[in-house]
Amino acid sequence: MGEIEPAGHRQGGASRGVFDDPEAERGEHPQGHTEAPADTVAARERIDAAHRAGHLADDLARAFAGPGGTKGTRPRPSPVARTAGAATAGPGLPDAPAAPDTVREDPIDRRLAHAPADPDPAGPGTIGPGAPTEAAGRHAGPESTEDTPRADHFAVQLPPSPALVCDSSGIVLHTNAALRRLAGSADPTGMKLPQLLVGPDSDARLVRADRRLARVRVVRWPQGERTVVLLTAFPDAAPAPSDEAPALDLERATRSGTWTFDLQAGTLTRSEGLVELYKGLGVRPDGPDGPIEGEQVERVCRMLRRGPGEVSDEALSAVQAAHASEIRPGTGTPGAPGPVLSCRTRIDRTPGGAPLRLIGTVQDVSDRRRAESRAQRSGQRFADLVATITTGVAMLDGRGRIVDANPALCQLLDADLEVLRGVPARALSAEPQSNTKGGLPDWLRDPSHPEPTYRIESLPLLRADGTRVDCEVVVNAAPSDDGRPFWLLVVTDVGERRRAADVLREANSVDPLTRLPNRAGLLEHADRLLAGADSRRVAVVCGDVDDFARVNTGLGHEAGDTLLVELAARLQRELPHGCVAGRLSADEFAVVCADVTEVGGPQMLAATVADLLRGSVTVAGSPVTLTASVGVATPESVPTHAPRGDDLLRSAEVAMHQAKQRGRGVVAVADSGTVGPAQRQLELEAELRAAIAADALRLEYQPVVGPDGTVLSAEALLRWSHPVHGEISPGEFLPVAQRSGLQRELDLWVLRTAAAEAATWPQHGQRIAVAVNLAGLLPADPAFLDEVTAVVDGSGLGWDQLVLELVETSLVALPAPALAAMSELVHRGVRFAVDDFGTGYSSLARLKELPAQTVKVDRAFVTGVGTDPADFALARAVVEVAKAMGRATVAEGVETAEQFHVLRGLGVNAFQGWLFARSLRPEDLHRVLRGGGLPTPAATVTPAGGAPEVW
């Protein structure tokens, strides 16, 4: 424990309290003294009178004569006596300087001197930290002996060894300094003797102020109603350890500690837990300005110096505050605030009510204060948030009255906050309430309801001006801190929302240009008709104006819009009864008929719509002649058992597209097989995407041979084995890939797979190339060069083993970057072949610019080359042009020996077709390559000009 003594109380190297040496305090010597003022002389005369009256004092003086205990020793002065220049009683009881050789009384000491002396038989408690360390204060000194007959025990001069005087009930009346030192600088006056001494007198234990035990031998000297108790300390009289661990553990667990300030001894004692707490927090308890508890002690002592009548009602709160305060040691930083200590002080009094000591409890409340600060900031942030949101918020108390509201609600109800406060919730309702039990409206639930948070979709509320506003209200019912109900309301004006919803609904169902129903509005109408009893009579017509783009291009979009408005007006005016027209898209209209039998059947209805969309219309002063392609569908044309409007409209659109393919102004009627192909194409598209992702496709290869049967290259051909439908022809799924944008993905898959497989082909003196047709990954693609490079580098295929075949139409008007990419690949060794040459619309001049090494003669010319002079002439022209430009030629689709010999005679370099081999699986191609080649009609004849060149 730490112990603090005021400065100026050290004499002869010993530390003592202000009441330990009364002669030193009064400036007197046992053998003589200087003259003192009259009031001091009178006090001494009263003390001498008390000595003469106390025969017990003479007996004790004779029995315990010796140093400090002779008969001539002057009696102890009053505890309130002070001399000029003497030290204060401690941090909390400062004394103003007095004139030399004068005696003054402090107001608090005066009350102590005149306090009643009757002790409390029960005793105030034990000594120790956290509990009253002294059960009662001293009785009044000699100055009060005139009114206190029992004050003569102060005249007893006790020996220098530890001793005390107690009455017949065991209450300690008087102690000497030696006993107080042994007891831990605490005065046990007022305690019961069994609380101070435990055990047999021959080997007893003295309970110290710090709750430790000191081993002593006790001698009792009964003297009438009083008993003198002498204590002899054993050689090992050092205080024995006491079982203070639980209290210390409690202080550690609660991060607290206690201190005791003895008002008479002027000493401050701290518990071990408090010392540890200060150390753990980095707090310096004793600074240059005194102990950290000094300010609290001073405030309490200042309050004690005022008489009971001096504390006014106005100062009562200040008096209470003196007992509790917070200590904030300046050990923190701006980013990390220092600790906060709560200090609560209670006053320990004598049985007669006189202040004896101050006992303070210090607790670390840093976390609590930080939490409170966070909660306060969080609450402020919540209040700021509620004030800034645009939705109305209100809080109702247990009586259903508004206690607070945010600005948004005040604006919504057109009332100030002060006006709204106290308004009952039932008064806000614009409609009468059927149940107002307890004054609450029926839309407020009790917090005990299973669903305390609920939404009221529409609740009309009254504004301050008497008008009503439709609101959506979200209510949360919960009990407040006092157990009464509490409601939080979130109020939203839904009137504006409904108006906006109406506008949005109209925008979602009405075409803004023609004011006809749009696709959504028309389908909603068709669904209603199909849900009725006459659903089999419903028909849907779809009509599209033929080549409407020429109007926008020639006359402008404004003229086009005018034309569309005129056509919409025609439909509205002249359609038969029961028909509703709508606009689906730019120039596409639709009609829903409730009963197709009344208008002459589906064919007649479609013809009527076609007539209304056909004819001459004057726009911007120019006559425009129009035709329209029309398709019609009925529930019988849809394979679905219970068709919806979307099913009929889709069938009518498919029929319309079929009619458009047959010509302008054509009408088509959908049947059960109309939608099937379109659905099949959608299914194939989804399955083809999945097959590409799962590597469910495969490649076969058709060899390209020279005249002697040597395999020069092999063209990769894509195949798809469907798990359900079996082999699907490329003629079926390649158009699907083209329409759905899958061609590029297919090309990349074929290129990666073919390069990886070709890298494993056996070689016999020459490297066999693989040819890949590209339809989606074209040279104009910005990533063309990078994609091809990544495939070749990743497969290990030689650059000179790759042939990229491009159809003639894809090579028209290639930009400069595309030609540069092709040239770069040619520089690396890649060869390009122009496929189907002569069937497109490219020019010979364009062929000359392309970095292509091979021209493939289309099978359309090869088929009749031996029988048709025109085909022969075209084939010869292609071969001669290619030869003139330094290109090699490959004939496709060679199926007969006659074709082979004719083409060979024209100078074709290589051949491909069923005459030599059909498409081969990879393992079959390996066998052909290991065998050295394929038989040809000229296998035994050396071709003119020697062996065929590698192309």
Side-chain angles (χ1 to χ4, degrees):
M1 294 189 185
E3 183 172 318
I4 302 174
E5 292 185 323
H9 286 270
R10 307 188 62 86
Q11 189 176 30
S15 175
R16 71 179 78 187
V18 294
F19 302 136
D20 288 349
D21 192 351
E23 303 296 9
E25 292 182 61
R26 298 173 54 182
E28 298 179 357
H29 191 273
Q31 303 301 325
H33 60 84
T34 60
E35 293 184 2
D39 55 346
T40 305
V41 175
R44 291 173 181 170
E45 291 175 356
R46 289 194 296 270
I47 293 173
D48 293 337
H51 271 280
R52 289 191 297 271
H55 301 287
L56 175 61
D58 295 335
D59 295 337
L60 289 175
R62 288 190 296 271
F64 300 102
T70 60
K71 178 179 180 181
T73 302
R74 294 186 62 87
R76 290 178 60 87
S78 166
V80 300
R82 298 286 189 274
T83 62
T88 66
L93 295 174
D95 288 326
D101 299 328
T102 61
V103 178
R104 60 179 292 272
E105 290 185 353
D106 197 288
I108 182 62
D109 297 324
R110 186 181 298 113
R111 290 197 302 276
L112 285 170
H114 295 280
D118 295 334
D120 183 0
T126 60
I127 301 175
T133 56
E134 298 181 21
R138 300 173 185 238
H139 296 286
E143 294 180 353
S144 61
T145 54
E146 294 177 354
D147 300 324
T148 308
R150 299 178 58 187
D152 56 353
H153 60 266
F154 281 107
V156 177
Q157 182 63 44
L158 296 177
S161 61
L164 59 86
V165 178
C166 63
D167 60 13
S168 58
S169 62
I171 300 297
V172 177
L173 303 177
H174 181 40
T175 61
N176 64 357
L179 186 135
R180 290 194 294 274
R181 284 192 295 271
L182 183 60
S185 298
D187 189 353
T189 303
M191 291 182 58
K192 285 192 175 183
L193 197 60
Q195 295 175 325
L196 185 64
L197 294 172
V198 294
D201 289 352
S202 60
D203 191 4
R205 298 295 187 271
L206 172 67
V207 181
R208 290 168 45 90
D210 57 3
R211 296 185 301 168
R212 301 170 72 89
L213 304 179
R215 189 180 178 197
V216 296
R217 179 179 291 108
V218 180
V219 177
R220 302 174 189 266
W221 191 323
Q223 295 291 328
E225 295 181 357
R226 297 171 177 79
T227 301
V228 177
V229 179
L230 309 177
L231 305 182
T232 303
F234 278 74
D236 58 345
S242 63
D243 187 14
E244 63 178 358
L248 181 59
D249 292 342
L250 179 61
E251 289 184 344
R252 289 170 176 170
T254 58
R255 297 184 61 79
S256 63
T258 59
W259 55 264
T260 303
F261 181 75
D262 191 330
L263 291 173
Q264 299 188 21
T267 56
L268 180 71
T269 305
R270 299 187 181 103
S271 67
E272 186 175 351
L274 182 57
V275 174
E276 290 185 4
L277 177 63
Y278 286 157
K279 184 177 180 181
L281 295 176
V283 175
R284 182 183 178 186
D286 300 310
D289 297 330
I292 195 172
E293 302 90 352
E295 185 176 351
Q296 174 74 354
V297 171
E298 183 177 357
R299 281 199 301 269
V300 177
C301 290
R302 190 181 303 116
M303 181 271 295
L304 290 175
R305 288 192 183 95
R306 303 172 186 170
E310 299 179 29
V311 180
S312 62
D313 294 338
E314 292 77 7
L316 184 59
S317 58
V319 172
Q320 297 296 332
H323 293 268
S325 63
E326 286 189 353
I327 302 174
R328 297 178 181 266
T331 58
T333 62
V340 181
L341 304 176
S342 172
C343 182
R344 293 183 176 274
T345 307
R346 64 182 181 86
I347 304 170
D348 195 10
R349 298 177 182 270
T350 65
L356 186 61
R357 64 185 60 81
L358 306 180
I359 300 175
T361 301
V362 179
Q363 185 176 16
D364 180 13
V365 295
S366 305
D367 294 340
R368 186 190 312 168
R369 294 296 178 263
R370 283 192 288 268
E372 291 173 355
S373 179
R374 287 194 298 268
Q376 183 178 8
R377 291 194 300 269
S378 176
Q380 185 59 44
R381 286 195 297 267
F382 174 77
D384 295 342
L385 174 63
V386 171
T388 56
I389 62 177
T390 58
T391 302
V393 178
M395 288 171 280
L396 310 181
D397 60 12
R399 297 182 298 168
R401 296 179 178 272
I402 297 177
V403 295
D404 203 357
N406 71 337
L409 184 64
C410 296
Q411 182 178 3
L412 178 64
L413 299 180
D414 192 23
D416 294 335
L417 178 58
E418 296 304 322
V419 175
L420 286 179
R421 280 181 174 148
V423 174
R426 67 175 182 275
L428 297 177
S429 301
E431 296 179 353
Q433 299 297 302
S434 58
N435 178 22
T436 56
K437 182 179 180 181
L440 300 177
D442 55 0
W443 47 269
L444 282 183
R445 293 179 182 173
D446 190 84
S448 61
H449 193 277
E451 295 182 2
T453 301
Y454 54 97
R455 181 188 303 272
I456 304 172
E457 298 292 341
S458 180
L459 181 66
L461 299 181
L462 278 177
R463 293 165 55 89
D465 57 3
T467 60
R468 55 186 288 165
V469 54
D470 291 332
C471 298
E472 177 191 78
V473 182
V474 177
V475 185
N476 175 262
S480 60
D481 295 340
D482 58 2
R484 301 184 64 185
F486 176 84
W487 291 276
L488 179 65
L489 309 183
V490 179
V491 184
T492 306
D493 181 4
V494 295
E496 186 65 28
R497 182 192 303 175
R498 288 177 179 173
R499 289 187 291 272
D502 292 340
V503 174
L504 184 61
R505 187 181 302 109
E506 181 179 350
N508 289 337
S509 60
V510 177
D511 176 52
L513 177 64
T514 63
R515 306 309 298 170
L516 293 178
N518 59 11
R519 180 182 294 270
L522 208 61
L523 289 178
E524 184 179 353
H525 177 63
D527 287 339
R528 286 197 301 268
L529 295 177
L530 290 171
D534 297 330
S535 60
R536 308 309 296 178
R537 300 181 182 180
V538 177
V540 175
V541 180
C542 187
D544 183 79
V545 179
D546 296 324
D547 198 14
F548 182 79
R550 78 184 193 282
V551 180
N552 288 332
T553 304
L555 301 177
H557 286 275
E558 185 176 354
D561 291 344
T562 302
L563 180 56
L564 292 175
V565 172
E566 176 62 26
L567 294 177
R570 278 189 187 182
L571 292 173
Q572 284 185 307
R573 289 193 309 264
E574 302 180 29
L575 276 175
H577 176 72
C579 295
V580 175
R583 184 187 177 208
L584 301 182
S585 59
D587 60 339
E588 186 176 352
F589 294 89
V591 175
V592 176
C593 182
D595 191 346
V596 71
T597 60
E598 292 186 358
V599 297
Q603 184 75 35
M604 183 62 71
L605 177 62
T608 301
V609 174
D611 289 340
L612 293 175
L613 296 177
R614 181 188 300 122
S616 179
V617 180
T618 300
V619 180
S622 301
V624 179
T625 302
L626 302 175
T627 59
S629 301
V630 176
V632 61
T634 61
E636 287 76 11
S637 63
V638 180
T640 307
H641 173 67
R644 296 173 54 84
D646 185 61
D647 300 323
L648 266 67
L649 181 59
R650 187 169 65 252
S651 296
E653 285 182 312
V654 173
M656 179 198 69
H657 288 297
Q658 291 176 350
K660 191 176 286 292
Q661 292 172 359
R662 297 201 296 265
R664 298 167 65 95
V666 179
V667 174
V669 179
D671 55 23
S672 58
T674 300
V675 185
Q679 291 180 336
R680 172 66 175 158
Q681 288 184 356
L682 290 175
E683 293 173 359
L684 276 181
E685 177 185 341
E687 293 170 348
L688 182 58
R689 290 183 186 276
I692 295 173
D695 279 340
L697 305 174
R698 74 176 194 279
L699 292 180
E700 293 183 357
Y701 301 91
Q702 189 173 36
V704 176
V705 300
D708 61 351
T710 302
V711 178
L712 305 176
S713 65
E715 181 180 355
L717 303 174
L718 185 61
R719 298 292 183 262
W720 184 13
S721 296
H722 194 280
V724 177
H725 304 294
E727 289 293 327
I728 299 179
S729 169
E732 184 177 358
F733 69 78
L734 287 180
V736 173
Q738 181 180 6
R739 286 191 296 270
S740 59
L742 289 174
Q743 280 187 314
R744 191 177 190 277
E745 293 183 46
L746 273 180
D747 284 357
L748 285 172
W749 188 91
V750 172
L751 186 60
R752 286 193 298 266
T753 306
E757 293 182 354
T760 65
W761 289 349
Q763 301 177 10
H764 294 280
Q766 64 178 2
R767 295 153 68 92
I768 309 301
V770 61
V772 178
N773 284 282
L774 298 179
L777 182 64
L778 299 176
D781 190 327
F784 176 75
L785 180 60
D786 294 337
E787 294 284 8
V788 175
T789 301
V791 168
V792 175
D793 290 342
S795 64
L797 185 71
W799 286 102
D800 59 344
Q801 290 181 265
L802 179 62
V803 179
L804 299 179
E805 296 187 1
L806 302 170
V807 296
E808 181 184 358
T809 54
S810 67
L811 298 173
V812 176
L814 285 177
L819 294 174
M822 294 177 67
S823 299
E824 173 62 25
L825 291 176
V826 170
H827 177 73
R828 297 178 186 179
V830 175
R831 286 167 285 170
F832 285 92
V834 181
D835 199 8
D836 301 336
F837 183 78
T839 62
Y841 45 84
S842 63
S843 64
L844 294 178
R846 186 61 179 166
L847 177 63
K848 183 178 66 172
E849 298 174 0
L850 295 175
Q853 295 77 36
T854 303
V855 175
K856 299 190 75 172
V857 183
D858 189 77
R859 68 176 61 245
F861 306 144
V862 172
T863 301
V865 72
T867 58
D868 189 343
D871 287 347
F872 176 80
L874 289 172
R876 183 176 59 185
V878 171
V879 174
E880 290 178 353
V881 169
K883 187 180 298 184
M885 295 182 179
R887 268 69 164 175
T889 54
V890 176
E892 290 183 303
V894 180
E895 298 180 355
T896 66
E898 183 182 8
Q899 295 170 346
F900 171 77
H901 287 297
V902 173
L903 293 169
R904 182 169 176 260
L906 292 176
V908 173
N909 303 100
F911 306 89
Q912 177 182 355
W914 286 5
L915 178 62
F916 315 103
R918 292 175 179 269
S919 60
L920 303 176
R921 290 180 178 269
E923 57 271 18
D924 296 330
L925 179 63
H926 276 248
R927 284 196 295 269
V928 170
L929 295 178
R930 286 194 298 268
L934 292 169
T936 69
T940 58
V941 180
T942 303
E949 298 178 358
V950 177
W951 63 282

